[in-house]
Amino acid sequence: MNEFSVMVMAVVFVGTLLFTSRPCYRLILRSIAKREAARLNVSLQDVSFSFDQMVYFIALPTTIPTARDASIDELVIEPYYESYFFPEVNGVQVSIQTGHETIPVAYLPLHDFSLPLLDRYLETRIIDERTNRIIRAHMILHERTAQAIREEVYQQLHEDRAAQ
């Protein structure tokens, strides 16, 4: 093997690791969360959640025309990961994405994402902190949660106009 082939193999390895780490992380989260939910006799589809502790980057009601006039389809929910190689979700960010600009609107940290059932189980020591974090991470990345967050942020952006 010459140096060039070793270099190509290293680049391919790192590239593969970068492109597959997040999908694999989500797959593992889903698998473990479903297994733990089955052990607890809980349906993850029926677990209620709350995101009252969401941090907004803009003042509400807003006077920024792009934010004020944004449609619900322009709100993008993106997970915020700790690392590229060994990702760990820390929260989700909500942005308004128009054709040429992206405006960060809100951020929901994972530790502020409230799942009352999990909080109760954690308090009574039915689950440990690791299981709590895994299920929370799975739930915050779930499409149902993303849609609920999108609707909440949209409502917050347009609340002042709806009251008039």
Side-chain angles (χ1 to χ4, degrees):
M1 265 191 192
N2 61 20
E3 294 83 21
F4 180 73
S5 61
V6 171
M7 184 76 113
V8 168
M9 286 180 7
V11 168
V12 168
F13 174 74
V14 169
T16 302
L17 188 62
L18 284 174
F19 287 116
T20 61
S21 62
R22 290 182 182 179
C24 288
Y25 172 72
R26 290 180 85 145
L27 180 69
I28 290 167
L29 274 182
R30 183 175 57 230
S31 172
I32 294 172
K34 285 183 177 182
R35 184 180 68 221
E36 291 297 326
R39 182 181 66 83
L40 297 167
N41 293 326
V42 172
S43 169
L44 292 178
Q45 296 293 333
D46 299 331
V47 172
S48 62
F49 51 83
S50 171
F51 31 82
D52 295 334
Q53 300 298 319
M54 189 176 306
V55 177
Y56 285 88
F57 299 134
I58 60 175
L60 296 174
T62 184
T63 57
I64 302 170
T66 307
R68 190 182 60 224
D69 301 333
S71 70
I72 197 164
D73 296 329
E74 292 175 327
L75 293 175
V76 177
I77 312 295
E78 298 173 317
Y80 177 75
Y81 292 100
E82 182 69 27
S83 168
Y84 284 106
F85 287 106
F86 303 105
E88 190 172 332
V89 71
N90 283 339
V92 292
Q93 179 175 327
V94 183
S95 303
I96 297 172
Q97 198 161 29
T98 60
H100 57 282
E101 73 179 313
T102 301
I103 300 172
V105 176
Y107 179 72
L108 177 62
L110 184 63
H111 63 273
D112 287 340
F113 178 56
S114 178
L115 294 163
L117 180 67
L118 285 185
D119 294 339
R120 202 169 41 243
Y121 284 168
L122 186 62
E123 190 174 303
T124 58
R125 300 185 191 269
I126 294 174
I127 61 172
D128 60 358
E129 186 61 43
R130 178 184 169 272
T131 304
N132 179 40
R133 183 165 173 81
I134 288 171
I135 295 174
R136 268 182 209 283
H138 170 69
M139 291 297 293
I140 205 169
L141 294 174
H142 197 274
E143 185 58 38
R144 177 178 70 107
T145 309
Q147 185 60 31
I149 292 172
R150 184 178 290 117
E151 290 170 3
E152 173 68 20
V153 171
Y154 180 79
Q155 181 181 356
Q156 291 293 328
L157 290 174
H158 294 87
E159 186 175 80
D160 187 46
R161 231 183 298 157
Q164 293 177 351

